[in-house]
Amino acid sequence: MLIRRATVADVPAMGQIINDCAEFGLMLPRSLASLYENVREFHVAEDMGRVVGVGGLSVVWANLAEVCALAVEKDQRGKGVGRKITEACIEEARTLGIRTLMTLTYEKAFFVIDRQKLPLKVLSECIRCPKNQACDEIAMTLVLEDVPDLGVPKPVAPPPDKYIVPTIQAMKNGRPSLPEDDD
């Protein structure tokens, strides 16, 4: 069993494995377009020249990355393929200097935390997920103690009363009218 970086030639097999798992409700589906766009994030497990597993490491913030789209062909499950792909993602996180890894999963064997404690993930991807309001995945984190804490600032969402989305309901001087224009 060889664990290696994915190539564009692997994308059709990656999509098949991921979407087969998604069909059974084990994970969310991924389009081929998304996989091609993000192929650099992925590792694959290859057995006798055939891709049998896939998983990615997606950087969310300076100190947070997600182990994502981890899937293994049905006949290869229980053989440690997913664990080996996860280990490759962990090593990549160490190389990148990322201290905290997270995942949303149905498998408790790998990394548990309330997903609301992961605001960047919730804002970046969960908001577009069809399961958003009824998520049954388990959020898990792993802190790599051997990776130094960068002490990077945490992202801060703007206060609700300061977030302004201009609309073209009213125009003043040829531009959209904002609430402060009404003073």
Side-chain angles (χ1 to χ4, degrees), residues 77-97:
R77 293 183 195 145
K79 297 180 180 180
V81 176
R83 182 163 302 283
K84 288 176 183 173
I85 293 170
T86 301
E87 288 168 357
C89 292
I90 291 169
E91 284 309 307
E92 183 179 7
R94 280 192 175 96
T95 300
L96 291 170

Side-chain angles (χ1 to χ4, degrees), residues 10-173:
D10 298 321
V11 169
M14 292 164 50
Q16 185 70 47
I17 293 167
I18 290 168
N19 292 325
D20 282 351
C21 290
E23 196 172 300
F24 291 99
L26 302 175
M27 63 191 310
L28 293 174
R30 297 266 176 147
S31 69
L32 288 180
S34 170
L35 292 172
Y36 280 118
E37 288 172 7
N38 299 295
V39 69
R40 293 178 183 184
E41 295 181 354
F42 288 93
H43 291 84
V44 294
E46 184 181 303
D47 186 32
M48 297 174 50
R50 186 173 64 106
V51 173
V52 297
V54 60
L57 182 73
S58 177
V59 176
V60 178
W61 194 251
N63 57 354
L64 178 65
E66 178 188 11
V67 175
C68 61
L70 182 62
V72 177
E73 280 190 344
K74 186 176 181 176
D75 66 337
Q76 295 293 316
R77 293 183 195 145
K79 297 180 180 180
V81 176
R83 182 163 302 283
K84 288 176 183 173
I85 293 170
T86 301
E87 288 168 357
C89 292
I90 291 169
E91 284 309 307
E92 183 179 7
R94 280 192 175 96
T95 300
L96 291 170
I98 296 171
R99 184 175 170 90
T100 305
L101 297 175
M102 56 85 50
T103 192
L104 295 171
T105 184
Y106 296 108
E107 300 290 333
K108 292 182 183 180
F110 291 111
F111 293 87
V112 177
I113 187 169
D114 176 5
R115 74 183 179 118
Q116 297 303 320
K117 292 185 180 178
L118 299 166
L120 286 168
K121 174 62 181 169
V122 171
L123 288 174
S124 70
E125 208 171 311
C126 292
I127 198 159
R128 295 185 305 256
C129 175
K131 290 185 169 186
N132 184 317
Q133 299 303 314
C135 182
D136 54 353
E137 288 183 308
I138 303 160
M140 306 176 117
T141 60
L142 172 67
V143 176
L144 303 176
E145 298 294 341
D146 58 326
V147 175
D149 186 356
L150 297 176
V152 296
K154 296 190 185 303
V156 179
D161 61 335
K162 300 293 182 194
Y163 188 71
I164 300 170
V165 178
T167 62
I168 306 181
Q169 292 175 342
M171 298 286 282
K172 285 189 179 180
N173 301 325

Side-chain angles (χ1 to χ4, degrees), residues 170 172 177-183:
K172 285 189 179 180
S177 174
L178 300 174
E180 64 267 13
D181 293 340
D182 296 332
D183 296 336

